[in-house]
mmCIF file of all heavy atoms in Angstrom:
data_model
loop_
_atom_site.group_PDB
_atom_site.id
_atom_site.type_symbol
_atom_site.label_atom_id
_atom_site.label_comp_id
_atom_site.label_asym_id
_atom_site.label_seq_id
_atom_site.Cartn_x
_atom_site.Cartn_y
_atom_site.Cartn_z
ATOM 1 N N ARG A 454 3.026 16.862 8.538
ATOM 2 C CA ARG A 454 2.244 17.670 9.567
ATOM 3 C C ARG A 454 0.701 17.601 9.361
ATOM 4 O O ARG A 454 -0.105 18.303 10.107
ATOM 5 C CB ARG A 454 2.767 19.025 9.350
ATOM 6 C CG ARG A 454 2.486 19.915 10.595
ATOM 7 C CD ARG A 454 3.173 21.287 10.468
ATOM 8 N NE ARG A 454 4.497 21.449 10.918
ATOM 9 C CZ ARG A 454 5.378 22.379 10.465
ATOM 10 N NH1 ARG A 454 4.930 23.171 9.366
ATOM 11 N NH2 ARG A 454 6.600 22.419 11.057
ATOM 12 N N SER A 455 0.248 16.865 8.290
ATOM 13 C CA SER A 455 -1.232 16.761 8.148
ATOM 14 C C SER A 455 -1.859 15.935 9.242
ATOM 15 O O SER A 455 -1.305 14.818 9.448
ATOM 16 C CB SER A 455 -1.434 16.241 6.778
ATOM 17 O OG SER A 455 -2.601 15.307 6.783
ATOM 18 N N SER A 456 -2.756 16.501 9.903
ATOM 19 C CA SER A 456 -3.257 15.684 11.074
ATOM 20 C C SER A 456 -4.158 14.480 10.501
ATOM 21 O O SER A 456 -4.290 13.494 11.224
ATOM 22 C CB SER A 456 -4.063 16.423 12.101
ATOM 23 O OG SER A 456 -4.663 17.396 11.600
ATOM 24 N N ALA A 457 -4.745 14.734 9.360
ATOM 25 C CA ALA A 457 -5.542 13.462 8.842
ATOM 26 C C ALA A 457 -4.599 12.441 8.390
ATOM 27 O O ALA A 457 -4.929 11.224 8.580
ATOM 28 C CB ALA A 457 -6.387 14.067 7.602
ATOM 29 N N SER A 458 -3.450 12.718 7.845
ATOM 30 C CA SER A 458 -2.484 11.723 7.504
ATOM 31 C C SER A 458 -1.992 11.075 8.775
ATOM 32 O O SER A 458 -1.740 9.790 8.937
ATOM 33 C CB SER A 458 -1.272 12.367 6.829
ATOM 34 O OG SER A 458 -1.707 13.058 5.655
ATOM 35 N N TYR A 459 -1.746 11.870 9.832
ATOM 36 C CA TYR A 459 -1.323 11.354 11.060
ATOM 37 C C TYR A 459 -2.187 10.333 11.718
ATOM 38 O O TYR A 459 -1.786 9.236 12.189
ATOM 39 C CB TYR A 459 -1.220 12.665 12.117
ATOM 40 C CG TYR A 459 -0.552 12.615 13.394
ATOM 41 C CD1 TYR A 459 -0.390 13.658 14.217
ATOM 42 C CD2 TYR A 459 -0.015 11.326 13.929
ATOM 43 C CE1 TYR A 459 0.201 13.725 15.365
ATOM 44 C CE2 TYR A 459 0.535 11.340 15.219
ATOM 45 C CZ TYR A 459 0.634 12.510 15.976
ATOM 46 O OH TYR A 459 1.168 12.459 17.222
ATOM 47 N N ARG A 460 -3.604 10.601 11.568
ATOM 48 C CA ARG A 460 -4.641 9.667 12.018
ATOM 49 C C ARG A 460 -4.259 8.310 11.332
ATOM 50 O O ARG A 460 -4.257 7.211 11.893
ATOM 51 C CB ARG A 460 -5.958 10.121 11.669
ATOM 52 C CG ARG A 460 -6.467 11.225 12.384
ATOM 53 C CD ARG A 460 -7.787 11.630 11.849
ATOM 54 N NE ARG A 460 -8.170 13.092 12.078
ATOM 55 C CZ ARG A 460 -8.886 13.768 11.326
ATOM 56 N NH1 ARG A 460 -9.350 13.352 10.273
ATOM 57 N NH2 ARG A 460 -9.157 15.092 11.654
ATOM 58 N N VAL A 461 -4.134 8.358 9.972
ATOM 59 C CA VAL A 461 -4.014 7.019 9.279
ATOM 60 C C VAL A 461 -2.647 6.359 9.617
ATOM 61 O O VAL A 461 -2.655 5.104 9.766
ATOM 62 C CB VAL A 461 -4.063 7.261 7.784
ATOM 63 C CG1 VAL A 461 -3.723 6.072 6.972
ATOM 64 C CG2 VAL A 461 -5.439 7.941 7.276
ATOM 65 N N ARG A 462 -1.597 7.071 9.889
ATOM 66 C CA ARG A 462 -0.314 6.550 10.303
ATOM 67 C C ARG A 462 -0.524 5.755 11.587
ATOM 68 O O ARG A 462 0.017 4.635 11.859
ATOM 69 C CB ARG A 462 0.764 7.594 10.359
ATOM 70 C CG ARG A 462 1.073 8.210 9.068
ATOM 71 C CD ARG A 462 2.392 9.029 9.148
ATOM 72 N NE ARG A 462 2.454 10.098 10.187
ATOM 73 C CZ ARG A 462 2.305 11.471 9.816
ATOM 74 N NH1 ARG A 462 2.028 11.752 8.627
ATOM 75 N NH2 ARG A 462 2.324 12.253 10.923
ATOM 76 N N ILE A 463 -1.147 6.341 12.481
ATOM 77 C CA ILE A 463 -1.464 5.688 13.840
ATOM 78 C C ILE A 463 -2.228 4.357 13.664
ATOM 79 O O ILE A 463 -1.897 3.312 14.217
ATOM 80 C CB ILE A 463 -2.162 6.610 14.808
ATOM 81 C CG1 ILE A 463 -1.494 7.985 15.148
ATOM 82 C CG2 ILE A 463 -2.483 5.918 16.169
ATOM 83 C CD1 ILE A 463 -2.277 8.975 15.856
ATOM 84 N N ALA A 464 -3.341 4.450 12.825
ATOM 85 C CA ALA A 464 -4.084 3.256 12.640
ATOM 86 C C ALA A 464 -3.285 2.154 11.894
ATOM 87 O O ALA A 464 -3.366 0.948 12.353
ATOM 88 C CB ALA A 464 -5.320 3.600 11.735
ATOM 89 N N LEU A 465 -2.482 2.537 10.899
ATOM 90 C CA LEU A 465 -1.589 1.488 10.328
ATOM 91 C C LEU A 465 -0.726 0.845 11.344
ATOM 92 O O LEU A 465 -0.597 -0.384 11.406
ATOM 93 C CB LEU A 465 -0.822 2.169 9.202
ATOM 94 C CG LEU A 465 -1.435 2.517 7.923
ATOM 95 C CD1 LEU A 465 -0.671 3.561 7.119
ATOM 96 C CD2 LEU A 465 -1.750 1.328 7.157
ATOM 97 N N ASN A 466 -0.133 1.716 12.264
ATOM 98 C CA ASN A 466 0.767 1.153 13.151
ATOM 99 C C ASN A 466 0.092 0.301 14.285
ATOM 100 O O ASN A 466 0.578 -0.766 14.582
ATOM 101 C CB ASN A 466 1.446 2.270 13.912
ATOM 102 C CG ASN A 466 2.496 3.148 13.118
ATOM 103 O OD1 ASN A 466 2.842 2.585 12.022
ATOM 104 N ND2 ASN A 466 2.909 4.223 13.560
ATOM 105 N N LEU A 467 -1.127 0.709 14.637
ATOM 106 C CA LEU A 467 -1.955 -0.077 15.631
ATOM 107 C C LEU A 467 -2.186 -1.453 15.038
ATOM 108 O O LEU A 467 -2.170 -2.455 15.759
ATOM 109 C CB LEU A 467 -3.086 0.617 16.101
ATOM 110 C CG LEU A 467 -2.867 1.825 17.109
ATOM 111 C CD1 LEU A 467 -4.264 2.611 17.186
ATOM 112 C CD2 LEU A 467 -2.543 1.290 18.437
ATOM 113 N N LYS A 468 -2.457 -1.458 13.818
ATOM 114 C CA LYS A 468 -2.858 -2.741 12.974
ATOM 115 C C LYS A 468 -1.704 -3.531 12.585
ATOM 116 O O LYS A 468 -1.816 -4.674 12.206
ATOM 117 C CB LYS A 468 -3.601 -2.288 11.786
ATOM 118 C CG LYS A 468 -4.973 -1.740 11.973
ATOM 119 C CD LYS A 468 -6.024 -2.668 12.325
ATOM 120 C CE LYS A 468 -7.328 -2.082 12.429
ATOM 121 N NZ LYS A 468 -8.361 -3.175 13.126
ATOM 122 N N GLY A 469 -0.430 -2.897 12.791
ATOM 123 C CA GLY A 469 0.611 -3.630 12.229
ATOM 124 C C GLY A 469 0.793 -3.693 10.851
ATOM 125 O O GLY A 469 1.329 -4.771 10.235
ATOM 126 N N LEU A 470 0.231 -2.659 10.090
ATOM 127 C CA LEU A 470 0.237 -2.852 8.633
ATOM 128 C C LEU A 470 1.230 -1.952 8.148
ATOM 129 O O LEU A 470 1.468 -0.817 8.630
ATOM 130 C CB LEU A 470 -1.211 -2.388 8.137
ATOM 131 C CG LEU A 470 -2.303 -3.400 8.317
ATOM 132 C CD1 LEU A 470 -3.743 -2.726 8.071
ATOM 133 C CD2 LEU A 470 -2.209 -4.646 7.409
ATOM 134 N N GLY A 471 1.976 -2.299 7.139
ATOM 135 C CA GLY A 471 2.971 -1.479 6.492
ATOM 136 C C GLY A 471 2.422 -0.715 5.412
ATOM 137 O O GLY A 471 1.605 -1.144 4.625
ATOM 138 N N ALA A 472 2.883 0.563 5.172
ATOM 139 C CA ALA A 472 2.608 1.242 3.839
ATOM 140 C C ALA A 472 3.706 2.174 3.563
ATOM 141 O O ALA A 472 4.376 2.705 4.555
ATOM 142 C CB ALA A 472 1.358 2.151 4.069
ATOM 143 N N THR A 473 4.113 2.232 2.261
ATOM 144 C CA THR A 473 5.088 3.276 1.832
ATOM 145 C C THR A 473 4.570 4.532 1.838
ATOM 146 O O THR A 473 3.291 4.762 1.509
ATOM 147 C CB THR A 473 5.493 2.873 0.368
ATOM 148 O OG1 THR A 473 5.901 1.425 0.391
ATOM 149 C CG2 THR A 473 6.706 3.652 -0.094
ATOM 150 N N GLN A 474 5.245 5.545 2.345
ATOM 151 C CA GLN A 474 4.705 6.849 2.353
ATOM 152 C C GLN A 474 5.243 7.715 1.207
ATOM 153 O O GLN A 474 6.417 7.677 0.869
ATOM 154 C CB GLN A 474 5.161 7.593 3.642
ATOM 155 C CG GLN A 474 4.445 7.006 4.925
ATOM 156 C CD GLN A 474 4.580 8.050 6.051
ATOM 157 O OE1 GLN A 474 4.452 9.167 6.039
ATOM 158 N NE2 GLN A 474 4.832 7.466 7.218
ATOM 159 N N MET A 475 4.330 8.476 0.609
ATOM 160 C CA MET A 475 4.796 9.350 -0.484
ATOM 161 C C MET A 475 4.249 10.725 0.012
ATOM 162 O O MET A 475 3.073 10.968 0.373
ATOM 163 C CB MET A 475 4.168 9.018 -1.783
ATOM 164 C CG MET A 475 4.646 9.967 -2.879
ATOM 165 S SD MET A 475 4.124 9.524 -4.517
ATOM 166 C CE MET A 475 5.232 8.164 -4.753
ATOM 167 N N THR A 476 5.249 11.663 0.120
ATOM 168 C CA THR A 476 4.873 13.014 0.593
ATOM 169 C C THR A 476 4.468 13.956 -0.449
ATOM 170 O O THR A 476 5.044 13.934 -1.656
ATOM 171 C CB THR A 476 6.017 13.541 1.378
ATOM 172 O OG1 THR A 476 5.628 14.750 2.068
ATOM 173 C CG2 THR A 476 7.320 13.939 0.510
ATOM 174 N N HIS A 477 3.571 14.883 -0.009
ATOM 175 C CA HIS A 477 3.097 15.914 -0.965
ATOM 176 C C HIS A 477 3.174 17.169 -0.174
ATOM 177 O O HIS A 477 2.326 17.372 0.888
ATOM 178 C CB HIS A 477 1.540 15.709 -1.386
ATOM 179 C CG HIS A 477 1.599 14.413 -2.156
ATOM 180 N ND1 HIS A 477 1.833 14.404 -3.610
ATOM 181 C CD2 HIS A 477 1.395 13.115 -1.821
ATOM 182 C CE1 HIS A 477 1.664 13.067 -4.044
ATOM 183 N NE2 HIS A 477 1.446 12.232 -2.858
ATOM 184 N N HIS A 478 4.019 18.129 -0.385
ATOM 185 C CA HIS A 478 4.344 19.295 0.432
ATOM 186 C C HIS A 478 3.095 20.265 0.379
ATOM 187 O O HIS A 478 2.946 20.948 -0.609
ATOM 188 C CB HIS A 478 5.582 19.909 0.013
ATOM 189 C CG HIS A 478 6.142 20.807 1.117
ATOM 190 N ND1 HIS A 478 5.611 21.941 1.606
ATOM 191 C CD2 HIS A 478 7.392 20.654 1.766
ATOM 192 C CE1 HIS A 478 6.303 22.538 2.517
ATOM 193 N NE2 HIS A 478 7.412 21.764 2.617
ATOM 194 N N LEU A 479 2.359 20.242 1.454
ATOM 195 C CA LEU A 479 1.172 21.137 1.449
ATOM 196 C C LEU A 479 1.367 22.567 1.282
ATOM 197 O O LEU A 479 0.616 23.221 0.572
ATOM 198 C CB LEU A 479 0.261 20.895 2.711
ATOM 199 C CG LEU A 479 -0.239 19.405 2.850
ATOM 200 C CD1 LEU A 479 -1.259 19.405 4.070
ATOM 201 C CD2 LEU A 479 -0.829 18.898 1.678
ATOM 202 N N ARG A 480 2.502 23.027 2.024
ATOM 203 C CA ARG A 480 2.739 24.474 1.892
ATOM 204 C C ARG A 480 3.326 24.963 0.610
ATOM 205 O O ARG A 480 3.136 26.138 0.186
ATOM 206 C CB ARG A 480 3.659 24.896 3.046
ATOM 207 C CG ARG A 480 3.026 24.886 4.394
ATOM 208 C CD ARG A 480 3.897 25.348 5.554
ATOM 209 N NE ARG A 480 3.199 25.121 6.798
ATOM 210 C CZ ARG A 480 2.319 25.921 7.473
ATOM 211 N NH1 ARG A 480 1.837 27.115 6.811
ATOM 212 N NH2 ARG A 480 1.682 25.549 8.551
ATOM 213 N N LYS A 481 3.751 24.015 -0.102
ATOM 214 C CA LYS A 481 4.185 24.268 -1.507
ATOM 215 C C LYS A 481 3.192 24.066 -2.531
ATOM 216 O O LYS A 481 3.381 24.162 -3.748
ATOM 217 C CB LYS A 481 5.470 23.431 -1.904
ATOM 218 C CG LYS A 481 6.725 23.882 -1.048
ATOM 219 C CD LYS A 481 7.907 23.061 -1.596
ATOM 220 C CE LYS A 481 9.193 23.387 -0.672
ATOM 221 N NZ LYS A 481 10.243 22.252 -0.814
ATOM 222 N N GLY A 482 2.019 23.652 -2.029
ATOM 223 C CA GLY A 482 0.810 23.367 -2.943
ATOM 224 C C GLY A 482 0.988 22.116 -3.786
ATOM 225 O O GLY A 482 0.165 21.958 -4.801
ATOM 226 N N GLU A 483 1.839 21.167 -3.430
ATOM 227 C CA GLU A 483 1.958 19.926 -4.330
ATOM 228 C C GLU A 483 0.731 19.132 -4.388
ATOM 229 O O GLU A 483 0.531 18.413 -5.348
ATOM 230 C CB GLU A 483 3.184 19.149 -3.596
ATOM 231 C CG GLU A 483 4.509 19.776 -3.853
ATOM 232 C CD GLU A 483 5.694 18.914 -3.367
ATOM 233 O OE1 GLU A 483 5.541 17.810 -2.859
ATOM 234 O OE2 GLU A 483 6.797 19.417 -3.427
#
Side-chain angles (χ1 to χ4, degrees):
Chain A
R454 205 178 265 149
S455 143
S456 39
S458 304
Y459 188 178
R460 292 175 200 151
V461 176
R462 294 193 302 258
I463 299 168
L465 284 164
N466 291 350
L467 284 169
K468 294 283 186 190
L470 290 166
T473 307
Q474 290 198 40
M475 181 171 287
T476 187
H477 300 269
H478 199 298
L479 299 192
R480 287 185 191 274
K481 292 181 185 163
E483 290 178 2

